[in-house]
Amino acid sequence: MKPAIPTAAHKIRIIGGKHRGRRIMIPDRGGLRPSPDRVRETLFNWLQWEIAGAHVLDAFAGSGALGLEALSRGAASVLFADNDADGVARLRALLAEWHEAHARVQSGDVFLLSPSAARYDLIFLDPPFAAGLHAQAVAHFVNDRWLKEQGKVYLEMPFPHEDLHVPPGWLWHRQGRAGRVFFGLLRRDYADEAAA
């Protein structure tokens, strides 16, 4: 029996930058839910003046859509992290095909990653919706061990959702919703620091 040929529904496209229009094949895998085009377009509009030269961590990378979009738009480096062996292999092959030498893929539990000594400008957090890891991911990654002074964290989670505890000294910089997806950027609360 021949393998099924992926349909257009199993592909997403890069929206902007040097790889604009390129398509990423998405395997049929439970829990794999790439960020929709509309959400990615909004996110990268928010980040348009910050992405060039940024050092990025794409935790729970899945298809790699967010990190690949960041590379396409000029990120200096991207570390993709995911625990799915097939997804990791696909990302490594894609990065080699696209000649993206400043990107690498780490296989395994993202909560066991070691922080980069240089820290990140931007961290993407889009864990599988059914896994319920959003609060744990925010508690783990939203801090000075992972982020530079001006660093931001992007979070994507199901809507409706219970209120997420934002760590002290942080706030929602931007928020949006597309259907059943809530997404937003967290940044430090500089007013809070000034008051202290």
Side-chain angles (χ1 to χ4, degrees), residues 49-86:
W49 309 115
E50 301 174 56
I51 201 69
H55 295 278
V56 178
L57 169 61
D58 187 355
F60 311 97
S63 69
L66 294 173
L68 292 167
E69 191 78 48
L71 283 171
S72 182
R73 293 169 186 253
S77 70
V78 177
L79 172 61
F80 298 85
D82 202 89
N83 65 358
D84 180 75
D86 180 59

Side-chain angles (χ1 to χ4, degrees), residues 13-68:
R13 66 183 176 87
I14 298 297
I15 297 167
K18 65 183 177 181
H19 296 304
R20 181 179 180 176
R22 281 191 160 176
R23 298 198 172 265
I24 307 165
M25 199 71 68
I26 307 300
D28 239 350
R29 188 178 96 216
L32 187 61
R33 183 207 46 79
S35 300
D37 284 4
R38 178 178 157 198
V39 170
R40 281 184 293 122
E41 189 163 13
T42 300
L43 168 63
F44 285 95
N45 283 341
W46 291 346
L47 295 170
Q48 62 182 316
W49 309 115
E50 301 174 56
I51 201 69
H55 295 278
V56 178
L57 169 61
D58 187 355
F60 311 97
S63 69
L66 294 173
L68 292 167

Side-chain angles (χ1 to χ4, degrees), residues 20-180:
R20 181 179 180 176
R22 281 191 160 176
R23 298 198 172 265
I24 307 165
M25 199 71 68
I26 307 300
D28 239 350
R29 188 178 96 216
L32 187 61
R33 183 207 46 79
S35 300
D37 284 4
R38 178 178 157 198
V39 170
R40 281 184 293 122
E41 189 163 13
T42 300
L43 168 63
F44 285 95
N45 283 341
W46 291 346
L47 295 170
Q48 62 182 316
W49 309 115
E50 301 174 56
I51 201 69
H55 295 278
V56 178
L57 169 61
D58 187 355
F60 311 97
S63 69
L66 294 173
L68 292 167
E69 191 78 48
L71 283 171
S72 182
R73 293 169 186 253
S77 70
V78 177
L79 172 61
F80 298 85
D82 202 89
N83 65 358
D84 180 75
D86 180 59
V88 164
R90 284 173 181 272
L91 268 174
R92 285 180 176 152
L94 189 63
L95 291 167
E97 179 188 329
W98 290 10
H99 306 290
E100 285 292 356
H102 301 292
R104 61 191 184 90
V105 186
Q106 177 87 27
S107 179
D109 186 338
V110 300
F111 293 113
L112 299 179
L113 282 173
S114 296
S116 161
R119 296 179 295 163
Y120 295 98
D121 298 291
L122 181 62
I123 297 176
F124 296 131
L125 298 178
D126 184 12
F129 280 11
L133 297 172
H134 298 85
Q136 183 182 353
V138 167
H140 185 79
F141 288 104
V142 180
N143 58 61
D144 292 338
R145 291 181 347 143
W146 291 93
L147 288 155
K148 294 180 183 176
E149 179 63 29
Q150 303 292 327
K152 292 185 174 70
V153 173
Y154 170 75
L155 179 69
E156 201 168 305
M157 60 186 179
F159 184 91
H161 56 81
E162 293 189 20
D163 286 340
L164 184 81
H165 174 71
V166 176
W170 291 77
L171 53 73
W172 287 110
H173 176 61
R174 303 263 184 139
Q175 299 177 60
R177 184 187 153 203
R180 296 187 173 205

